[in-house]
Amino acid sequence: MFNFHSYNKFKFLTLLILTLSILFVDCRNSPKEQNEADYEIIQSAKGKKAMVVSAHHLATKVGNEILQKGGNAIDATIAVQYALAVVYPRAGNIGGGGFMVIRTKDGNYDSIDYREKAPKASTRDMYLDDEGNVIPGLSRNGHLAVGVPGTVDGMEEVHKKYGKIKDFKVLIQPAIDLASNGFLLTPMEIERFNRFKKDFVKYNKSPNAFIKDTLWVEGDRLVQKDLANTLTLIRDNGKAGFYEGETADKLIAEMKTGNGIITHDDLTSYQSKWRAPLVGNYKDYKIISMAPPSSGGIALLQMLKMVEKYPLADYGFQSKEAMHLMIEAERRVYSDRAKHLGDSDFYKVPQDSLLDAEYIEDRMRDFNPKKSTPSDMVAAGSFAVPMETFETTHTSVIDEAGNAVSVTTTLNSNYGSKVVVSNAGFFLNNEMDDFSAKPGVPNQFGLVGNEANAIEPEKRMLSSMTPTIVEKDGELFMVLGAPGGSTIITAVFQVFLNVVEFGMPLDDALFAKRFHHQWLPDVVLYENGGLTEASKQSLKDLGHSLKDVKYMALVKAIHVQPDGALHGVGDNRSEDHAAGY
Ligand code: DON
């Protein structure tokens, strides 16, 4: 039976198999594929033509691939948004909303609001008990905390208006592939999955991809078949794949398993809104940011105007004078925020007055360089020290043609309401907590509000998200924004000043420790290790109370260098990733 020929055939086949398997192993061990775990987080990157900075290396990669396929910054942003919905489930989303600011290569500005809306059945007092007290947690966890999601509608709108790659499928397919093939979880996501496991179990009746019997450990991959199916429905049907049909039915069924009030009518009537961006100046810089229902743009412009006439650069970075001035500006602006800001479709926000130069001058008239402002304007307030690390997510993109996008999107808290739409695989937001549930009662970020931000059906809740683009002498200069709840606005304010006043390269500007004051409570938060004992003492001597926190806000920014090269930087407080070419 055994002959030479068959032996040779055997030898040949063995050799072939061996060679192939060596090739295969070799291929798997090639630096690119070798080990998914060997990815490198790059927080500071340079590019000659284009740049993406996002919260996750896989999303940044997707954005770069779309740019290299000839997509513009808007196409890349859409692809990144969907990729983040898969690889960054704590904030990337299809069950949330956001704001996007765009500067086209021709220097035109635009912005879109795809913020969540209060369901039609919501009422002003829906989170209060019979005695008029806020029921703890009701606006933060579970089905009643959910606002009508805006992301899918928003992405369709921006694609229709600005997309260069006309075939939407190209933009969403990378997200579908990531969901169905799975990807390696990062250490931070693993830590959060384990930390929030009991909430996932508490607020979900059926199994989902995020809950497993054992704890998540390094090396675990996340496969999301349900989410891949939902994204495929969106790919094939556009926004109808989310707001109608199978996905909508599942979302409404999910609402009914808890105390949710979102209806089919809420979903089909959701519409994002194009809004005129806010445009203002700081010295030679033009700031383009988000208008209400975000407070970010107004507050940022107010703070910049308040400090503009002072010699910040001479004072020096985190000098007593600079910090005191900035803290006092922050205090005044957040008190305006609490009183005057809300959804301008429902409440007459006095935007022009708030940004009026004389008004701003007047607001700082009682600024005393030697003393914190007497507190008759600062009523005592309790402060919700953040109990979980803040998560939302920001992406900054510049393409080869010079189009720029600054977009911040959120589920609000980590994993939003913690509710996953059963069989559809995505988390729902808890954005209703951004409303003022009761005048003067702080939300999870310690922010208080009033009439302007009271709950009304179909109203959008006030936001602090501050997606911003800066021009200098008519040219694109910077793209920046951040997650971080109430600390977003002060982080954007400080990173910008670190670059333009304190002369820092963007990475130093971002990595530098920050401080924050939001009127109520009357306390300066500072990041651990951020202030020297001497500077703490000098602030105390001026009458400020101080409190340290682990970190605040996660900025992602791009700085256009004088020679036109792009410097992209993500925050070293997280796993942000910058890449360009
Ligand atoms: O819109 C807002 O202001 C909040 N929902 C943002 C939440 C946030 O940034 C959470 N953490 N980073």
Side-chain angles (χ1 to χ4, degrees), residues 90-91 97-99 115-116 293-296 337 388-393 408-414 430-434 443-445 447 461-466 482-489 551-554:
R90 61 189 188 261
F99 298 104
R115 180 73 160 166
E116 299 90 328
S294 184
S295 61
R337 181 196 192 279
E388 36 175 91
T389 46
F390 308 87
E391 295 303 342
T392 283
T393 189
T408 316
T409 180
T410 189
L411 290 166
N412 198 14
S413 304
N414 274 295
N430 63 340
E431 221 70 59
M432 291 299 282
D433 190 60
D434 274 348
N443 73 358
Q444 67 165 324
F445 302 112
L447 292 165
M461 51 301 277
L462 184 61
S463 173
S464 302
M465 293 190 277
T466 315
S486 57
T487 68
I488 293 173
I489 314 170
Y551 63 82
M552 293 182 283
L554 305 170

Side-chain angles (χ1 to χ4, degrees), residues 204 226 247 250-251 254 419-428:
N204 292 285
D226 289 344
T247 313
K250 287 175 183 167
L251 198 156
E254 183 59 50
V419 174
V420 178
V421 175
S422 191
N423 303 316
F426 61 94
F427 282 101
L428 288 167

Side-chain angles (χ1 to χ4, degrees), residues 189 252 313 326:
E189 201 74 55
I252 301 309
M326 289 162 74

Side-chain angles (χ1 to χ4, degrees), residues 556-570:
K556 292 135 201 36
I558 307 172
H559 179 207
V560 184
Q561 315 277 278
D563 65 357
L566 305 173
H567 187 190
V569 184

Side-chain angles (χ1 to χ4, degrees), residues 25-187:
V25 170
D26 226 56
C27 192
R28 286 177 52 102
N29 283 342
S30 75
K32 200 156 151 265
E33 300 284 340
Q34 177 195 24
N35 198 339
E36 242 188 326
D38 280 349
Y39 66 86
E40 190 190 353
I41 297 277
I42 298 174
Q43 260 131 6
S44 175
K46 297 270 170 71
K48 285 199 170 69
K49 297 180 175 167
M51 181 64 63
V52 179
V53 190
S54 88
H56 197 286
H57 67 102
L58 291 172
T60 294
K61 182 164 174 259
V62 165
N64 269 272
E65 282 165 4
I66 294 295
L67 290 174
Q68 273 162 336
K69 274 188 185 152
N72 62 17
I74 289 89
D75 296 323
T77 302
I78 296 166
V80 169
Q81 168 95 37
Y82 278 112
L84 285 170
V86 177
V87 299
Y88 199 68
R90 61 189 188 261
N93 66 81
I94 53 174
F99 298 104
M100 187 185 299
V101 175
I102 297 168
R103 181 185 183 275
T104 66
K105 60 183 184 333
D106 313 311
N108 297 320
Y109 320 130
D110 209 346
S111 63
I112 186 163
D113 156 0
Y114 54 98
R115 180 73 160 166
E116 299 90 328
K117 296 177 79 167
K120 292 184 185 184
S122 49
T123 58
R124 172 184 292 241
D125 296 338
M126 61 192 277
Y127 300 114
L128 305 186
D129 65 16
D130 293 342
E131 269 126 55
N133 299 315
V134 173
I135 302 168
L138 203 55
S139 63
R140 287 181 209 168
N141 294 310
H143 300 70
L144 195 59
V146 184
V148 184
T151 296
V152 174
D153 186 76
M155 292 307 103
E156 185 156 305
E157 283 291 318
V158 286
H159 184 242
K160 268 197 293 195
K161 192 162 172 183
Y162 288 106
K164 185 168 163 222
I165 294 181
K166 291 294 170 210
D167 185 2
F168 174 68
K169 294 187 170 60
V170 175
L171 308 182
I172 196 171
Q173 192 61 44
I176 298 174
D177 295 343
L178 283 164
S180 60
N181 300 335
F183 64 94
L184 194 74
L185 287 168
T186 64

Side-chain angles (χ1 to χ4, degrees), residues 449-515:
N450 229 303
E451 186 58 31
N453 191 31
I455 303 170
E456 288 179 61
E458 294 196 86
K459 190 174 174 180
R460 287 166 158 96
M461 51 301 277
L462 184 61
S463 173
S464 302
M465 293 190 277
T466 315
T468 299
I469 296 178
V470 183
E471 267 181 14
K472 187 179 185 197
D473 304 323
E475 300 292 331
L476 182 60
F477 177 75
M478 209 184 211
V479 181
L480 76 167
S486 57
T487 68
I488 293 173
I489 314 170
T490 48
V492 169
F493 175 56
Q494 286 169 42
V495 169
F496 171 73
L497 290 179
N498 286 350
V499 173
V500 308
E501 290 292 355
F502 303 122
M504 295 183 189
L506 189 62
D507 34 14
D508 291 352
L510 245 107
F511 303 162
K513 303 278 186 181
R514 298 187 267 267
F515 54 90

